[in-house]
Each structure stands twice: as structure tokens, then as C-alpha cells.
Amino acid sequence: MTREEDIKKAVEVLRKGGVILYPTDTVWGIGCDATNAEAVKRVYDIKQRDDSKALICLVDSDARMQRYFRNIPDVAWQLIDSLKSVSDDSVVGTKDISPTKPTTIILDGAINLAPNLIAEDGSLGIRITQEPFSKELCYRFQKALVSTSANISGEPAAQNYCDIDPRIIEQVDYVCWSRRQEHKPHTPSSIIRLRENGEVTIIRQ
């Protein structure tokens, strides 16, 4: 199966409210339409996770990210620009973050998404993926995509397809074929909390 065919099938499932397993710019992820509350609930159920713990979303571009927040502070755009370029610690408090490591940003005022996806304080973690498969998948789907590690809550994240618990594989509607053969280390993203007042907190390096 070609990557194009794989993405087409995944998008068909997502548009019907289904749940998929797919490779991301970090570890393998469980994904669904981030605007579909029923699909989001299924992801929580599959992970056996309390829905008070918000999930991360993936998007393919800055423009798409803007659709999901009332206001994105300037410091967020500075951080995104610095992560695209060479190492740049000009954003206060981010000198310990590698520019080559995918970085999830938690922002306030999330909108236009499933209510059970957003944290109780109205914030949401989002990441602009640069990895070819997940970027193309997000682009073709034209919406934010839930991206939570493919593991039962409390167990180690699945770095590669071969690490995924069979109980998870059995419960999803589609498992992507791309990058299934990989056997190499992958780590979760860095996580940075950016508040509207410009305050920066590194949650995970």
C-alpha cells in the first residue's frame, strides 16, 4: 500500500467518526477527529484514561492552529518560529528545549473543538507536525487530529508499531500501514505551557 492510499483510508475513517492508530512525529498515536466528542470519548475509553486529563492535538500548519484558540500570544509565535529555525533561546525560559525535538505548546482559550478534549481551565496542548506522514494526514483531513500515545494509561508509550498493546489494536477502526516496520527509538514531545500574559513554563523537556 502506498502512503497516499494509507492516508486516504485513514481520512475516510476519521470523517466517519472512527479512531485510528498512526505514526506521528514522536511515538505512535491514537487519533480521531478533534471536533467529534463521541470519537474523543472512545479514545479515552481505549486508553482507560480519565477524561479530566486533556489530550494533545496535531495540526499541519500555523494557519490551522489559529482556528482553535481565541488568542495566540506573541510569545507562542516566537517559539514556533525559533523551533523552525536553528537553535534559538531568545524566547525566555526555553533555552533547554531542543529545536530538533517536536514541541507541544499548551495555550489558553481553546475553541471549535470537542468539549471533552479541552482541559477544565480551557487550555489545550497542540503541536504543528513536520513529520511527512502525520503532516500529510492532517493536511488531507483539514482539521485538528487527536494525538495521544498508543498505550493504556500508566503504561509506557509505544515507540514503534511493534510496541503497541494488542488490546489497543483490536479497539480501533483503522491501523495505518506506513512506518510499521520501524525499530528505532522515539520519544514523546517536549511540552511548554504558555499563558496569555506571556508566562512560560517547561512541563517536559
Side-chain angles (χ1 to χ4, degrees), residues 114-180:
N116 54 343
L117 184 63
I118 300 168
E120 289 179 2
D121 65 0
S123 66
L124 175 83
I126 198 160
R127 191 166 72 249
I128 300 171
T129 177
Q130 301 301 333
E131 182 272 328
F133 183 86
S134 53
K135 189 177 182 74
E136 180 76 5
L137 178 62
C138 289
Y139 174 74
R140 295 292 175 194
F141 186 50
Q142 295 283 297
K143 289 184 188 178
L145 190 61
V146 166
S147 178
T148 182
S149 55
N151 61 300
I152 304 295
S153 188
E155 295 183 1
Q159 296 186 33
N160 297 287
Y161 173 74
C162 60
D163 302 319
I164 301 174
D165 189 314
R167 291 174 294 173
I168 289 180
I169 295 172
E170 288 166 6
Q171 293 182 79
V172 302
D173 303 301
Y174 183 71
V175 182
C176 292
W177 287 91
S178 299
R179 294 177 52 200
R180 278 199 200 184

